[in-house]
Amino acid sequence: MVDADQTFIIVGGGLAGAKAAETLRAEGFSGRVILICDERDHPYERPPLSKGYLLGKEERDSVFVHEPAWYAQNDIELHLGQTVDRIDRTAKTVRFGDDGTLVRYDKLLLVTGAEPRRLDIPGTDLAGVHHLRRLAHAERLKGVLHHLGQENGHLVIAGAGWIGLEVAAAAREYGAEVTVIEPHPTPLHGVLGPELGNVFAQLHHEHGVRFHFGVRLTEIIGQDGMVLAARTDDGEEHPAHDVLAAIGAAPRAALAEAAGLEIADRAHGGGIVVDERLRTSDPDIYAAGDVASFPLALFGTRLRVEHWANALNGGPAAARAMLGQDVTYDRVPYFFTDQYDLGMEYSGWAPPGAYDEVVIRGDAGKREFIAFWVKEGRVLAGMNVNVWDVTEQIQNLIRSRAQVNIEALSDPHVPLDDLVS
Ligand SMILES: Cc1cc2nc3c(=O)[nH]c(=O)nc-3n(C[C@H](O)[C@H](O)[C@H](O)COP(=O)(O)OP(=O)(O)OC[C@H]3O[C@@H](n4cnc5c(N)ncnc54)[C@H](O)[C@@H]3O)c2cc1C
């Protein structure tokens, strides 16, 4: 039984960490809750950093998970701007801060998130090369896009993933020239496959984004510390005043690895291995959010999910498991994006190779449709584009593993609920 003498430590102050702290108190935990984060800002949500906040449509204050006063009001001991650099599993302590403060834990939650992958090419140290993960990055990039828009300047984006495309949309709204370099033949290739990737390619073409598929950046050319151009492996030079490296993120699992916790192999996305209760290979240590690799029985695989909803739900689930509650974390992965006037939600998991066909319900040309990724008659994933309030039905369909009639699946007049037998 949990009692007031216990200390629960949360390492990482992103959405998963803040929501875990909230849940511990909401569930009546009366012991010490210590939240340590290496960022100086209070825990905040990242999706607006490449959308509303970047576009200047959302205020800085709107991104925070809680008001700053909330932490003291809920007796959460917050240590911001402090890095945890060691976990001693025998003594059950974590060490943090410049002075190497040691605190003992009864239960520990690792929600250390992910960090942007770096381009390993000449020129990445130039002042005009950017990444986007933190609020400070977004503040800087916002200024850059504004300036590029005013000066008719060029932004080269390495990577046509979610962040690359969202920033491309924002940059076009500021009026900047945008070139996207992507080694795969379509945007979002590893998530959506070629069929639906083309919907996003078309959308961005229509808004004036130039794509170069099938090539990689090899060098960022500069002069006096400033970016002048970006070179690709086909020998072409692309004019650039700034470059955004948006080539994915890597889990921040080094702390866990150094403590001897089990780490997933790269084929499963890396990250800290947890069971369905979000418990690591040490029974007193849990992990959630972007850094955790959890088993998802529905898809018969282990997954690491770098999405907002996984932090929002995973942090609280881990907190409940730490309190000894019976938890099975088996959420259908969910993601959303907004680009120009396109809004979409994606539920499920269907990377290329996992599905046989893509079935469209609605009008793909008008970008008002639902796409379903199907394998042997079962829906693995669904993406609703400018069609709303269908996520629950799509997720029910995925969960049901029902054998669906493909014609009915593609017919907007057949209610989705009717397909779940
Ligand atoms: C620009 C951007 C846009 C996004 N847009 C979307 C979207 O539209 N839809 C969507 O579903 N998802 C989106 N995401 C993904 C979503 O934001 C992440 O999945 C979510 O932030 C993960 O939360 P987390 O708490 O697991 O990790 P994080 O938010 O990464 O938080 C982890 C925190 O731990 C800190 N930390 C790490 N190691 C240590 C240590 N040793 N000591 C102390 N502190 C440490 C980190 O600095 C960080 O503050 C976006 C992400 C980004 C970057």
Side-chain angles (χ1 to χ4, degrees), residues 11-16 36-39 46-47 49-51 82-84 111-114 132-134 163 166 252 255 289-290 306-308 311 335-336:
V11 182
L15 182 60
I36 309 165
C37 187
D38 60 7
E39 292 195 63
R46 298 183 199 272
L49 307 191
S50 50
K51 310 179 191 62
Q82 313 264 314
T83 303
V84 172
V111 273
T112 46
L132 180 55
R133 180 80 195 175
R134 298 187 163 196
I163 290 180
E166 288 175 1
R252 291 186 68 178
L255 179 68
D290 279 13
E306 283 176 10
H307 296 328
W308 171 88
F335 176 82
F336 64 89

Side-chain angles (χ1 to χ4, degrees), residues 114-384:
E115 63 194 339
R117 292 187 196 280
R118 310 264 152 182
L119 286 166
D120 187 15
I121 56 173
T124 49
D125 51 346
L126 292 165
V129 178
H130 312 275
H131 296 90
L132 180 55
R133 180 80 195 175
R134 298 187 163 196
L135 196 45
H137 297 154
E139 271 163 11
R140 183 167 170 224
L141 193 58
K142 195 167 149 178
V144 166
L145 297 188
H146 179 75
H147 181 74
L148 290 176
Q150 302 250 301
E151 303 288 318
N152 210 15
H154 288 252
L155 176 70
V156 165
I157 299 176
W162 296 116
I163 290 180
L165 293 186
E166 288 175 1
V167 174
R172 289 300 298 145
E173 290 196 28
Y174 276 101
E177 297 294 324
V178 179
T179 301
V180 178
I181 310 293
E182 167 58 51
H184 287 109
T186 52
L188 303 161
H189 194 267
V191 200
L192 302 184
E195 303 86 349
L196 270 297
N198 273 325
V199 170
F200 285 86
Q202 186 58 33
L203 171 73
H204 283 269
H205 271 310
E206 286 171 19
H207 286 85
V209 173
R210 292 183 207 90
F211 283 103
H212 292 268
F213 293 117
V215 289
R216 287 174 190 278
L217 277 192
T218 51
E219 185 181 357
I220 301 167
I221 302 160
Q223 196 176 28
D224 303 329
M226 310 294 284
V227 171
L228 287 183
R231 185 174 289 137
T232 42
D233 57 5
D234 55 356
E236 214 177 308
E237 262 184 34
H238 310 270
H241 297 101
D242 287 274
V243 173
L244 175 76
I247 55 170
R252 291 186 68 178
L255 179 68
E257 192 169 9
L261 297 176
E262 192 183 342
I263 302 297
D265 60 35
R266 275 175 159 263
H268 287 114
I272 305 171
V273 167
V274 292
D275 62 16
E276 63 288 347
R277 303 183 57 202
L278 300 176
R279 198 162 61 170
T280 68
S281 51
D282 180 322
D284 292 322
I285 306 182
Y286 293 73
D290 279 13
V291 78
S293 168
F294 60 94
L296 196 50
L298 183 62
F299 297 113
T301 189
R302 180 168 279 288
L303 283 181
R304 196 173 62 74
V305 175
E306 283 176 10
H307 296 328
W308 171 88
N310 181 49
L312 182 77
N313 299 309
R320 283 191 282 271
M322 290 162 84
L323 292 168
Q325 296 180 15
D326 197 11
V327 167
T328 303
Y329 188 69
D330 61 356
R331 293 257 172 180
V332 174
Y334 166 89
F335 176 82
F336 64 89
T337 186
D338 297 308
Q339 296 168 31
Y340 313 106
D341 55 356
L342 179 148
M344 83 84 179
E345 297 170 286
Y346 175 99
S347 294
W349 181 75
Y355 63 91
D356 307 323
E357 60 179 316
V358 180
V359 176
I360 303 289
R361 158 185 283 238
D363 191 336
K366 279 194 187 154
R367 290 197 277 264
E368 251 181 59
F369 65 97
I370 309 177
F372 295 99
W373 284 259
V374 179
K375 171 139 179 127
E376 291 162 5
R378 295 193 170 91
V379 174
L380 298 180
M383 177 173 85
N384 45 306

